[in-house]
Amino acid sequence: MFHSEIIERFKDTPTPFFYYNLDLLKESLKIVNEESSKYGYHVHYALKANSNIEILETIEAYGLGADCVSGNEVTRAISCGFPSEKIAFAGVGKSDEEINIGLENDIFCFNCESIPELIVIDELAQKKNKIANIALRINPNVEANTHYYITTGLEENKFGINRWELEEVLEILKTLKNINLIGLHFHIGSQITDLNDFKGLCLRVNEIQEWFYDHQIIVDHINVGGGLGINYENPEEEPIPDFKSYFKLFHDLLDLRPQQELHFELGRSIVGQCGTLISKALYIKKGIKTNFAIIDAGMTELIRPALYQAYHKVENLTSLAKEEERYDVVGPICESSDCFGKALTLPKTSRGDLLAIHSCGAYGEVMASQYNLRKLPKAIY
Ligand code: LLP
């Protein structure tokens, strides 16, 4: 998958590091724009997936908006050129300081997740003599056809405003003079590879829109969040997700009112395949069933396998051996979950070999930690 000249270039670079393929990122962005612009949709890039400056500047150059979940992400997005009027600020626990950052920058919209949050944003906006645009994040976690407003699971879920709270929200909104309801926001989850799940979301949004319509409310903006998945098993076969079918599905199934604009918050599908974690084999150690390939990257650089039992394809970039062996590819951290894959078949691996852990562009480097006082990994573009 990697060109020999790239591998040659890696040879003397201290490992582990993230390698980003900006050409693939640009190609993905081009397709996102082509497919979303067919319907006039707005795509906000979810900074949480990867907030590297080079990556953000590249994405901004393609005209996307930003979806931020912290005050620092708002500040970073602005410093990388994203216009404030294209920045949405989400999150279940925005601090006063973070809300003030959003207010001072006159961002497009706060995605609000609770009644107390609405009240705080109103108070802070009043102090600044501003009107804050808000969208209500409505919890869509239950399938469209179930009894969503009486499900107790909804009460326990920290994300979004529950369906049964909406009457109260509308009453409270009438009293909050410094906020302006402009939209409804939804997000059903991440790494969704079955487009049918988004069909469920569309049907749910249609139902909720009917409810608002019955209450004489038509908001200008509908935001259906992110969540489109990537192919972790075969990244080389599908380096760019099927954006065409994704956007078309919303076009076919969502009942937008004529003046309504549709927004998306895509993270992983845009950056996921453009990042690779490059690591060096430190030791090959005999195990009972398989050998261990102990590499110099661990859960400190990529926590997804340890946290979500996530699969990332591992490739030995430098071994020329014809013979293959099975390895548990593990990191150096003293945690049994510090493992990138069990019994993986790789060409015979030796100390010093470079290994690529694929599909790390999203939720890789951003989730890196300094546990064990390890250095944060570097990025190469
Ligand atoms: N919008 C909202 C409200 C979200 O909560 C998320 C992700 C996104 C957009 C972007 O979703 P994406 O298009 O990237 O799926 N650390 C986990 C993923 C957490 C996703 C959280 N929310 C992982 O490594 O899989």
Side-chain angles (χ1 to χ4, degrees), residues 46 48 67 137 187 190 226-227 265 267-268 304 308 363 367:
K48 69 177 78 164
D67 165 43
R137 176 173 180 177
H187 175 72
S190 199
E265 298 167 344
R268 188 190 321 260
R304 301 194 68 258
Y308 317 110
Y363 308 111
M367 293 180 82

Side-chain angles (χ1 to χ4, degrees), residues 62-236:
Y62 281 76
L64 277 73
D67 165 43
C68 301
V69 288
S70 71
N72 286 344
E73 281 192 358
V74 172
T75 308
R76 171 72 61 92
I78 289 170
S79 71
C80 288
F82 287 90
S84 341
E85 65 273 14
K86 285 189 183 178
I87 295 180
F89 184 7
V92 67
K94 302 174 191 78
S95 70
D96 294 18
E97 188 191 348
E98 292 179 313
I99 292 168
N100 280 330
I101 292 175
L103 290 170
E104 281 151 20
N105 287 291
D106 297 314
I107 59 167
F108 164 60
C109 182
F110 291 88
N111 293 337
C112 293
E113 305 222 8
S114 66
I115 292 173
E117 183 193 336
L118 289 170
I119 295 169
V120 170
I121 294 180
D122 181 67
E123 273 170 21
L124 295 173
Q126 197 179 358
K127 279 192 194 146
K128 292 192 180 298
N129 205 17
K130 293 206 175 211
I131 307 285
N133 284 335
I134 62 121
L136 298 174
R137 176 173 180 177
I138 299 175
N139 191 332
N141 271 345
V142 181
E143 292 289 324
N145 295 324
T146 60
H147 299 283
Y148 55 88
Y149 25 124
I150 47 164
T151 311
T152 48
L154 284 175
E155 293 176 34
E156 290 156 20
N157 196 306
K158 75 172 179 177
F159 298 108
I161 293 170
N162 297 310
R163 168 64 184 79
W164 48 264
E165 288 175 294
L166 287 178
E167 297 272 3
E168 190 186 349
V169 168
L170 293 191
E171 281 312 305
I172 290 174
L173 279 177
K174 285 181 198 155
T175 68
L176 304 177
K177 301 292 174 222
N178 291 70
I179 58 181
N180 179 27
L181 174 65
I182 63 160
L184 301 180
H185 172 239
F186 307 85
H187 175 72
I188 55 167
S190 199
Q191 184 49 21
I192 295 165
T193 49
D194 182 354
L195 287 183
N196 273 318
D197 293 351
F198 293 111
K199 191 172 166 185
L201 171 64
C202 289
L203 300 178
R204 164 58 69 86
V205 174
N206 291 345
E207 283 175 23
I208 292 176
Q209 283 249 74
E210 279 303 316
W211 186 92
F212 274 88
Y213 198 60
D214 290 344
H215 290 73
Q216 286 82 48
I217 295 176
I218 302 179
V219 294
D220 289 340
H221 302 276
I222 299 292
N223 181 337
V224 286
L228 178 62
I230 61 170
N231 190 338
Y232 282 99
E233 278 72 28
N234 293 303
E236 64 279 17

Side-chain angles (χ1 to χ4, degrees), residues 14-15 17 65 82 85 90 97 103 121 158 167 170 191 223 226-227 242 247-248 265 279 311 342 345 353 357 364 369:
T15 51
F17 62 90
F82 287 90
E85 65 273 14
E97 188 191 348
L103 290 170
I121 294 180
K158 75 172 179 177
E167 297 272 3
L170 293 191
Q191 184 49 21
N223 181 337
D242 186 0
F247 291 118
K248 183 174 185 303
E265 298 167 344
S279 175
Y311 173 81
K342 288 199 180 296
T345 304
D353 282 353
I357 302 167
S369 79

